[in-house]
Amino acid sequence: MEGFRCLLLYLCLSLAGSCKGKSIEDDSGVLQTLDDDLEQEDNLNSRLEKLGTMKEDFLRMLNLSGVPQEQRKVQPPPFMMELYNKYASDKSSVPRSDVIRSFILQDVTQSVIRNNKTSHRLLFNVSVPNFEEVTLVQLRLFTLWDGAQTACDDFLASVTVYEVEHIQNREILHLLDRKDIPDTEPTWEAFDVTNAIHSWLQSSCGAGELEVKVESQGCGSFKGGGFNISLDLEDNTSPVLIVFSDDIENRKGKARGEVKEMMTHEDESFLLKVDALEDSNGEVHLDRHPRRKRQARKNYCRRTSLRVNFKDIGWDQWIVAPPEYEAYECKGVCSFPLTNDVTPSKHAIIQTLMHLSNPKKANKACCVPTKLDPLTVMYQENGVITVRHLYEEMKVAKCGCR
């Protein structure tokens, strides 16, 4: 609005010569204000353009074709929150897989209680992109006391997980994993069901049933209540499948990028020793104006803050964590001489020297990111919670001249 007022005043001065009897040339304050507003508008447009590019890159890194349209935010399982917090806080932690997804229980198709034994048929629907390789799948069950019965000393229980295979009119159970539960405290237990999910995905169905059998002895036997697994969807303790997978496509791209970087950024120290460029007469053309030198140092290529808040860009409905992060950006000029702290490439040095010799022949080198740090993200897509450990291209670590 202020810029618009200044524009009106500028037009007034242009048409009338002076609204107060002064010439337009004398009103330098108005012109300066107008120039400042135009510069601020250019900076805003530049930032909006960068933000749009970042949003596209962000979706591409997550292998998403568009912004997920989620109706409501899904509460992530405790295990997923633990994983995210671990990778987000400890940069030295190396994830066992690139992508970790959690699939909630779709339905309990059958539940039987007989004396000290219970069995539950659990239906899940799993979907994983075909360019990802599933490395491990865990069924996580929350074990607890069913009813009002309390813990005792002679307790012993076992939990066994089977894959249910339907062949014509028959059902065949395939043993997947088994655990003895010696402790009576409510807790999460993990069972390896990788083979079952591999067969589901290979069948192009992605849906299947797992049968969980709980057998208890001693005071854990069922007599009006005993040891069981939670099936409650409301308190976030129902069974959940955790699928670990590797993004083969992104790993190949990263490997190609690392090889290219090794080939491109060779040892350039010998070029950094160049003190000045001499012309054909042996004269050195350097700007020795102290004010310009101070201004150049102030605007020299460096890393500056760029805070990305997912709520500001309308992504808070599907980005679970973090709510915001510091992405940084590279700003400034690459002026001669290019010092070690901006790690110039050989091409950047030659380009800078050429620009110094003849600005019409070559532009200055550009201030760009030369090192990027990963960002761990938790998001939801179609109700599926995903933790993704991104290895590159999300946060600027260093800036340089290229």
Side-chain angles (χ1 to χ4, degrees), residues 63 75 111 116 179 218 230 256 260 264 389:
N63 286 317
Q75 182 66 25
S111 202
N116 64 331
K179 275 189 178 181
S230 173
R256 286 194 298 266
K260 183 178 179 181
T264 304
H389 191 281

Side-chain angles (χ1 to χ4, degrees), residues 161-399:
V161 180
Y162 301 88
E163 177 190 4
V164 182
E165 183 181 11
H166 297 272
I167 300 179
Q168 296 178 352
N169 295 326
R170 294 187 304 150
E171 293 181 347
I172 301 176
L173 299 183
H174 301 283
L175 176 64
L176 295 172
D177 202 359
R178 182 184 183 279
K179 275 189 178 181
D180 291 327
I181 312 294
D183 196 353
T184 58
E185 291 296 322
T187 185
W188 285 95
E189 298 287 348
F191 299 85
D192 189 341
V193 294
T194 309
N195 291 338
I197 279 58
H198 273 159
S199 65
W200 296 359
L201 295 174
Q202 288 171 3
S203 67
S204 301
C205 178
E209 286 183 316
L210 299 174
E211 180 159 321
V212 178
K213 293 185 177 181
V214 182
E215 184 175 354
S216 52
Q217 300 175 7
C219 63
S221 301
F222 274 81
K223 295 176 181 177
F227 198 71
N228 204 353
I229 62 171
S230 173
L231 301 174
D232 194 345
L233 292 171
E234 300 299 325
D235 63 358
N236 209 26
T237 59
S238 67
V240 59
L241 280 181
I242 309 295
V243 179
F244 298 81
S245 61
D246 288 334
D247 190 336
I248 305 302
E249 192 171 284
N250 270 348
R251 285 196 174 191
K252 288 180 179 178
K254 181 187 174 185
R256 286 194 298 266
E258 289 175 346
V259 171
K260 183 178 179 181
E261 185 177 358
M262 289 173 61
M263 295 173 64
T264 304
H265 303 301
E266 303 170 3
D267 183 14
E268 301 145 354
S269 59
F270 70 99
L271 284 172
L272 293 174
K273 296 178 182 178
V274 178
D275 292 324
L277 178 67
E278 297 184 0
D279 64 8
S280 58
N281 297 322
E283 296 178 352
V284 179
H285 295 274
L286 291 177
D287 189 353
R288 302 190 182 280
H289 197 290
R291 185 175 179 182
R292 290 181 180 176
K293 280 189 173 183
R294 288 195 297 270
Q295 187 70 15
R297 283 196 297 268
K298 181 181 178 182
N299 295 330
Y300 209 59
C301 178
R302 67 198 185 280
R303 188 180 74 162
T304 60
S305 175
L306 178 60
R307 198 80 187 169
V308 177
N309 189 304
F310 292 116
K311 188 174 183 179
D312 291 343
I313 60 178
W315 285 10
D316 58 313
Q317 193 65 19
W318 65 281
I319 297 288
V320 180
E324 63 177 5
Y325 82 102
E326 180 61 78
Y328 297 106
E329 64 175 332
C330 296
K331 291 180 67 176
V333 296
C334 294
S335 301
F336 186 86
L338 298 180
T339 55
N340 283 314
D341 57 328
V342 293
T343 60
S345 64
K346 289 185 293 186
H347 182 273
I349 296 172
I350 296 298
Q351 182 176 336
T352 302
L353 295 177
M354 286 294 297
H355 174 80
L356 186 64
S357 173
N358 189 342
K360 292 183 179 180
K361 278 191 173 182
N363 295 320
K364 289 183 178 180
C366 295
C367 180
V368 296
T370 56
K371 183 181 178 183
L372 296 140
D373 281 342
L375 175 70
T376 302
V377 181
M378 179 188 289
Y379 62 96
Q380 67 177 80
E381 183 186 13
N382 298 324
V384 176
I385 296 292
T386 302
V387 171
R388 191 178 187 101
H389 191 281
L390 300 177
Y391 289 96
E392 57 183 349
E393 296 184 4
M394 293 312 300
K395 295 190 294 185
V396 176
K398 291 182 181 179
C399 296

Side-chain angles (χ1 to χ4, degrees), residues 74 123-124 131 136 145-146 164 171 251 335 344 371:
V74 177
L123 176 65
F124 289 96
F131 52 78
L136 175 68
W145 286 96
D146 187 25
V164 182
E171 293 181 347
R251 285 196 174 191
S335 301
K371 183 181 178 183

Side-chain angles (χ1 to χ4, degrees), residues 102-121:
S102 64
F103 295 88
I104 60 173
L105 177 66
Q106 296 295 306
D107 193 15
V108 181
T109 59
Q110 179 180 306
S111 202
V112 179
I113 300 177
R114 290 194 184 96
N115 296 325
N116 64 331
K117 295 180 181 180
T118 65
S119 65
H120 308 284
R121 289 277 179 92

